[in-house]
Amino acid sequence: MNLMRIMTSAALSALLLFMTACGSGSSNNNGTGAGTGSKESASSTEGAAKAGTSAAPVPIDYGLYCGKECQEALTLKASPDSIKGKVGFAVASLTFPYGAALKSRTEEAAKKYFPNMELLVGDGQNDPSVQTSIVDDFISKGVQVLIINAVEKDALVPAVERAVKAGIKVISVDRTVNTKVLTTIKANDLDLGMNAGQSLVTLLNGKGNVVELQGSPSASPTIDRHKGFTDAIAGSPDIKVIASQHANYDQAQGLKVMEDLLQRFPKGQIDAVYTHADMMTMGALQAIKAAGRQNEIKLISIDGMQTTFDAISDGEIAGTAVYPVIAPMNVIAAAKALVGEPMPEFIKLESPVVTKENVAKYNGTTY
């Protein structure tokens, strides 16, 4: 009996040892037991993620200057990640801070919102012939949409018309082109000039001598910002524009023109300066401070650069009418054009006047 129990116990022990060995061998053949199970599970999850729907598109932030009507016009019905195609962007010039900001913001928006959009960018170098060559190059490369920030409204007409004839949808931004395009997106330059002019009338209590620093002679913003300003002050006969000269949207030229004007009109003869762009304003401010006349002359500008906001906060500049950077609005319009969604012929951006009273609201919203 005892022998039987000993034999039975030995048999059971041998069987248990054999089963344990089989289990260990099976785990070793598959790799590392539980580790192998985890690896397979991770692989399955990854495959399911790849097979499933893609990550939700990033919500589009239109910014402070694209109001209700603007957002309605640019609402995209198609899914952003479904947007595919080649878009050419012809920038007027990267020399100016606005052009540089427009390029970088456009590239950022395309990458952020439309990962499958191919964006080509060309610098017109503020030269119509250079920009014409860029447009022709885009045509040869088969872009489906052309975004153009034209150097001059008339000089670029032939190139834009060639693009349209080639079946390319054209979107003009910042500056208009004197031919039919799909849509134009910008703040209204007449409004900018008008807003700046009305602000100046208030600043001077309807009376004073003003000098005007204009932009480039043939650029559409120059023409409209001048007209808007003259319309705004037309009802104030005691405000006299005693000089108006071009400084071509350039700080160095703004400095030189203002130095000449300060020589021409001695102390007490200039009450305010209106310029078509903050870059020229900065040059004018430099000349005014060097002449020690900053307490005598008030400055009203257009553009809304952050450096101008800082100068407004410091009391060196009275105000500026904001001309927003047209991104991501331009890229959204290109996306809509690629999928054939309709847009109005003109999409207007907001152009508020920023002064010391409201500058805190707009800090960090421009460039």
Side-chain angles (χ1 to χ4, degrees), residues 192-269:
L192 283 157
M194 178 75 74
N195 293 347
Q198 290 171 344
S199 180
L200 186 140
V201 169
T202 301
L203 191 65
L204 296 180
N205 294 316
K207 183 177 182 179
N209 292 336
V210 179
V211 298
E212 178 186 20
L213 270 59
Q214 296 194 43
S216 304
S218 300
S220 62
T222 303
I223 297 165
D224 290 344
R225 291 176 187 187
H226 170 73
K227 186 179 187 307
F229 175 73
T230 55
D231 288 349
I233 65 172
S236 303
D238 290 332
I239 290 183
K240 311 288 185 185
V241 178
I242 58 175
S244 183
Q245 293 184 217
H246 293 282
N248 299 303
Y249 300 109
D250 182 78
Q251 183 168 346
Q253 291 188 49
L255 169 63
K256 180 66 172 65
V257 169
M258 195 68 227
E259 285 175 339
D260 293 343
L261 289 169
L262 291 171
Q263 290 289 328
R264 182 177 162 191
F265 299 102
K267 189 174 177 61
Q269 294 189 26

Side-chain angles (χ1 to χ4, degrees), residues 105-185:
R105 299 272 184 91
T106 299
E107 290 171 333
E108 288 168 8
K111 183 178 180 181
K112 181 177 181 179
Y113 300 125
F114 307 108
N116 298 315
M117 177 188 289
E118 182 181 353
L119 179 68
L120 309 177
V121 181
D123 177 13
Q125 300 175 26
N126 209 33
D127 185 331
S129 62
V130 172
Q131 194 172 46
T132 293
S133 297
I134 289 169
V135 173
D136 287 334
D137 182 53
F138 285 162
I139 294 171
S140 70
K141 288 178 177 175
V143 302
Q144 294 151 276
V145 177
L146 168 66
I147 305 171
I148 185 160
N149 164 223
V151 174
E152 292 182 4
K153 63 188 297 183
D154 293 317
L156 269 295
V157 167
V160 169
E161 290 181 343
R162 284 194 293 275
V164 172
K165 190 175 180 180
I168 298 169
K169 296 173 181 178
V170 180
I171 299 164
S172 66
V173 298
D174 176 28
R175 301 176 179 185
T176 59
V177 185
N178 233 357
T179 189
K180 187 173 177 60
V181 296
L182 180 64
T183 189
T184 296
I185 310 171

Side-chain angles (χ1 to χ4, degrees), residues 245-365:
Q245 293 184 217
H246 293 282
N248 299 303
Y249 300 109
D250 182 78
Q251 183 168 346
Q253 291 188 49
L255 169 63
K256 180 66 172 65
V257 169
M258 195 68 227
E259 285 175 339
D260 293 343
L261 289 169
L262 291 171
Q263 290 289 328
R264 182 177 162 191
F265 299 102
K267 189 174 177 61
Q269 294 189 26
I270 301 174
D271 297 300
V273 175
Y274 161 62
T275 91
H276 292 193
D278 288 348
M279 288 301 294
M280 296 185 292
T281 302
M282 288 301 173
L285 177 60
Q286 187 179 347
I288 290 167
K289 289 170 74 174
R293 296 173 65 176
Q294 61 267 36
N295 295 326
E296 166 196 349
I297 301 172
K298 297 176 174 64
L299 285 157
I300 290 288
S301 184
I302 289 175
D303 270 349
M305 291 170 54
Q306 184 58 48
T307 51
T308 305
F309 290 169
D310 294 340
I312 289 170
S313 297
D314 294 338
E316 295 182 328
I317 293 174
T320 184
V322 177
Y323 189 85
V325 176
I326 308 168
M329 294 76 93
N330 56 350
V331 179
I332 301 167
K336 287 176 70 69
L338 283 171
V339 293
E341 293 184 11
M343 287 175 283
E345 291 184 1
F346 184 78
I347 300 173
K348 180 181 174 181
L349 304 184
E350 305 296 321
S351 52
V353 174
V354 175
T355 63
K356 198 166 187 176
E357 286 69 35
N358 65 359
V359 67
K361 176 181 177 180
Y362 297 98
N363 276 327
T365 65

Side-chain angles (χ1 to χ4, degrees), residues 6-175:
I6 292 169
M7 290 176 66
T8 301
S9 177
L12 287 170
S13 298
L15 179 61
L16 182 61
L17 181 63
F18 174 79
M19 290 175 67
T20 304
C22 286
S24 297
S26 181
S27 290
N28 288 336
N29 287 340
N30 284 328
T32 57
T36 302
S38 298
K39 194 171 184 179
E40 287 175 351
S41 177
S43 178
S44 298
T45 303
E46 184 179 347
K50 287 180 178 178
T53 56
S54 59
V58 177
I60 294 173
D61 180 5
Y62 294 90
L64 194 60
Y65 306 102
C66 184
K68 183 181 177 182
E69 290 183 6
C70 168
Q71 291 187 32
E72 288 175 353
L74 290 174
T75 297
L76 183 67
K77 294 179 181 178
S79 174
D81 56 8
S82 73
I83 303 299
K84 296 179 181 179
K86 188 180 291 187
V87 177
F89 182 27
V91 187
S93 176
L94 298 182
T95 303
F96 307 128
Y98 183 87
L102 186 55
K103 173 184 179 290
S104 63
R105 299 272 184 91
T106 299
E107 290 171 333
E108 288 168 8
K111 183 178 180 181
K112 181 177 181 179
Y113 300 125
F114 307 108
N116 298 315
M117 177 188 289
E118 182 181 353
L119 179 68
L120 309 177
V121 181
D123 177 13
Q125 300 175 26
N126 209 33
D127 185 331
S129 62
V130 172
Q131 194 172 46
T132 293
S133 297
I134 289 169
V135 173
D136 287 334
D137 182 53
F138 285 162
I139 294 171
S140 70
K141 288 178 177 175
V143 302
Q144 294 151 276
V145 177
L146 168 66
I147 305 171
I148 185 160
N149 164 223
V151 174
E152 292 182 4
K153 63 188 297 183
D154 293 317
L156 269 295
V157 167
V160 169
E161 290 181 343
R162 284 194 293 275
V164 172
K165 190 175 180 180
I168 298 169
K169 296 173 181 178
V170 180
I171 299 164
S172 66
V173 298
D174 176 28
R175 301 176 179 185

